[in-house]
Amino acid sequence: MKANEDLFSETRLLNEVASVGAYDFQGAKEILYLSPMKNILYVNKRVKGGDGSGSDWTNAIVELADALLWAYANREKGLWTKDNPLQIWVASGVYNPLYSPEHGKDFTATPGDMRDRAFLLVKNVQLFGGFPASGSPGMEDRVLKAKGGSGSILSGDYDGNDSAIGKGRYLQLTNRTNNAFHVVIAAGDMGERSLLDGFTITGGGSENKGTFIRINSESFSRSCGGGIYNVLTAGSVTFRNLEIIDNMASSSSSYAYGGGVYNENKGTGATRWFNNTVKSNTVSCSSLAAATFGGGVYNQNSAESTMLWKENVIENNIAVSTSLAYGGGVYNVNEGSMLWTDNIIGFNTATSVAMSYGGGYSIATPV
């Protein structure tokens, strides 16, 4: 390997100087070199100086979007495995999604609809938030809320002008016309060790968008899953220590599902939710021919799949519709194994000018 080549003998330059990282990512506007140390990449929005390689806190990557972009580009190169997953440690700060994971868009920063940009989770990659933004903190130094969330904020609010007024049946989320449709997306086979741990997820959601995009061969509706949109076909993914707050999903022409979370297991995989707060999210529909499901959470679990919800708080969410509204807090469609243990569901609302069902919890078993 020559000084101006990476581990795969490809030429690499950074501002016309050979980079020192072992692996390059060249999909962004400028050439980036990232160098995990002991399979850890470091991200800090407030870092000053450094080389941006992500090798330690001094040289942290500024944007989480770039770290995930590099991980996606290198996911099939054997740099990490289910037994030795890649970790991304994220310091406190506000991080916005910068690229669109839509099929055929090649993670462009300027997709046809700028609101399609999202953080796409990567197979066998683990994200940890809550690290202080100064010093050299370790895992034991993370600052997490008692019931999920931290100062590491993943936000779809690009303009920084979101408004959340009231709570429960009076909750109104406004100024969302430029927000990302979904803040976090997981799509397809996630391996055995995918993890999102210790983040606040906010500011996601559509306003009257019922159209679809494709990601990893799966279809994603812009009127679903404002905070987290998970469609799992194989493997497992764990969501832990999260605060999912002030997200929305809405449509004026079609059904809308999962204001805070849209969670679907389609294959033989498992999705696990531990110690999260899902709070003050909304799902709404103004079509007389459609309905809303799951202001906080929408779950759909196939016959061979597993979902586990343990020690979560789901509160002050709302499902509202001019036609039918189901599950202000949670709406479940389950054919497989779904286990709920020690969760708190309270102060949620389903409201409609026609009929509404299950302010806190509504369930349907497919025939």
Side-chain angles (χ1 to χ4, degrees), residues 1-14 17-26 31-37 41 51-55 59 70 74 79:
M1 184 176 70
K2 299 177 182 178
N4 65 337
E5 293 179 347
D6 64 14
L7 209 59
F8 306 101
S9 299
E10 296 175 347
T11 302
R12 58 184 181 190
L13 294 176
L14 181 66
V17 177
S19 71
V20 296
Y23 309 103
D24 289 353
F25 166 70
Q26 301 185 11
I31 297 175
L32 304 173
Y33 68 94
L34 303 187
S35 301
M37 291 294 288
L41 281 176
D51 60 18
S53 66
S55 59
N59 298 297
W70 179 89
N74 289 279
L79 308 183

Side-chain angles (χ1 to χ4, degrees), residues 142-164:
R142 290 200 300 163
V143 180
L144 303 178
K145 297 181 181 179
K147 272 297 176 184
S150 76
S152 299
I153 301 169
L154 309 185
S155 174
D157 179 15
Y158 292 103
D159 297 334
N161 64 349
D162 280 6
S163 174

Side-chain angles (χ1 to χ4, degrees), residues 98-103 105-109 111 113 116-118 213:
L98 301 180
Y99 308 109
S100 171
E102 181 180 359
H103 177 72
K105 300 298 184 183
D106 196 28
F107 285 88
T108 178
D113 193 323
D116 284 329
R117 293 171 294 180
I213 62 173

Side-chain angles (χ1 to χ4, degrees), residues 140-225:
E140 69 281 1
D141 299 312
R142 290 200 300 163
V143 180
L144 303 178
K145 297 181 181 179
K147 272 297 176 184
S150 76
S152 299
I153 301 169
L154 309 185
S155 174
D157 179 15
Y158 292 103
D159 297 334
N161 64 349
D162 280 6
S163 174
I165 302 173
K167 63 181 181 179
R169 66 181 301 173
Y170 303 107
L171 177 64
Q172 293 183 343
L173 305 181
T174 58
N175 296 336
R176 305 300 171 110
T177 55
N178 292 321
N179 286 32
F181 291 122
H182 326 289
V183 180
V184 175
I185 290 175
D189 180 1
M190 295 303 295
E192 301 300 323
R193 300 290 299 277
S194 299
L195 172 70
L196 185 68
D197 183 320
F199 293 88
T200 295
I201 298 168
T202 188
S206 65
E207 287 184 332
N208 300 328
K209 290 280 188 176
T211 50
F212 293 79
I213 62 173
R214 300 285 291 178
I215 304 171
N216 289 352
S217 301
E218 299 301 319
S219 183
F220 287 77
S221 170
R222 294 181 173 112
S223 60
C224 301

Side-chain angles (χ1 to χ4, degrees), residues 30-291:
E30 63 180 1
I31 297 175
L32 304 173
Y33 68 94
L34 303 187
S35 301
M37 291 294 288
K38 298 182 179 179
N39 262 21
I40 300 174
L41 281 176
Y42 297 83
V43 177
N44 187 351
K45 189 84 171 183
R46 304 172 191 171
V47 68
K48 302 294 184 182
D51 60 18
S53 66
S55 59
D56 53 31
W57 288 118
T58 301
N59 298 297
I61 308 159
V62 174
E63 294 290 351
L64 173 60
D66 286 328
L68 284 171
L69 194 55
W70 179 89
Y72 186 84
N74 289 279
R75 68 194 184 283
E76 303 294 344
K77 296 180 179 178
L79 308 183
W80 60 89
T81 66
K82 66 177 182 179
D83 297 318
N84 186 25
L86 176 69
Q87 295 185 12
I88 301 178
W89 291 15
V90 184
S92 296
V94 179
Y95 300 86
N96 300 117
L98 301 180
Y99 308 109
S100 171
E102 181 180 359
H103 177 72
K105 300 298 184 183
D106 196 28
F107 285 88
T108 178
T110 55
D113 193 323
M114 297 292 285
R115 301 176 68 190
D116 284 329
R117 293 171 294 180
F119 292 111
L120 181 66
L121 302 185
V122 180
K123 183 177 180 179
N124 290 324
V125 173
Q126 301 182 337
L127 278 67
F128 295 92
F131 294 93
S134 60
S136 299
M139 193 67 72
E140 69 281 1
D141 299 312
R142 290 200 300 163
V143 180
L144 303 178
K145 297 181 181 179
K147 272 297 176 184
S150 76
S152 299
I153 301 169
L154 309 185
S155 174
D157 179 15
Y158 292 103
D159 297 334
N161 64 349
D162 280 6
S163 174
I165 302 173
K167 63 181 181 179
R169 66 181 301 173
Y170 303 107
L171 177 64
Q172 293 183 343
L173 305 181
T174 58
N175 296 336
R176 305 300 171 110
T177 55
N178 292 321
N179 286 32
F181 291 122
H182 326 289
V183 180
V184 175
I185 290 175
D189 180 1
M190 295 303 295
E192 301 300 323
R193 300 290 299 277
S194 299
L195 172 70
L196 185 68
D197 183 320
F199 293 88
T200 295
I201 298 168
T202 188
S206 65
E207 287 184 332
N208 300 328
K209 290 280 188 176
T211 50
F212 293 79
I213 62 173
R214 300 285 291 178
I215 304 171
N216 289 352
S217 301
E218 299 301 319
S219 183
F220 287 77
S221 170
R222 294 181 173 112
S223 60
C224 301
I228 296 177
Y229 199 150
N230 172 49
V231 179
L232 183 71
T233 60
S236 68
V237 59
T238 299
F239 299 95
R240 186 173 66 196
N241 297 321
L242 305 176
E243 181 182 52
I244 304 163
I245 184 172
D246 292 349
N247 302 281
M248 68 182 298
S250 70
S251 177
S252 61
S253 59
S254 65
Y255 293 86
Y257 301 81
V261 173
Y262 181 99
N263 191 39
E264 181 177 0
N265 284 0
K266 297 180 66 173
T268 59
T271 305
R272 304 177 181 91
W273 298 81
F274 298 134
N275 196 52
N276 305 292
T277 293
V278 184
K279 180 179 179 180
S280 299
N281 303 282
T282 72
V283 62
S284 63
C285 176
S286 57
S287 171
L288 293 175

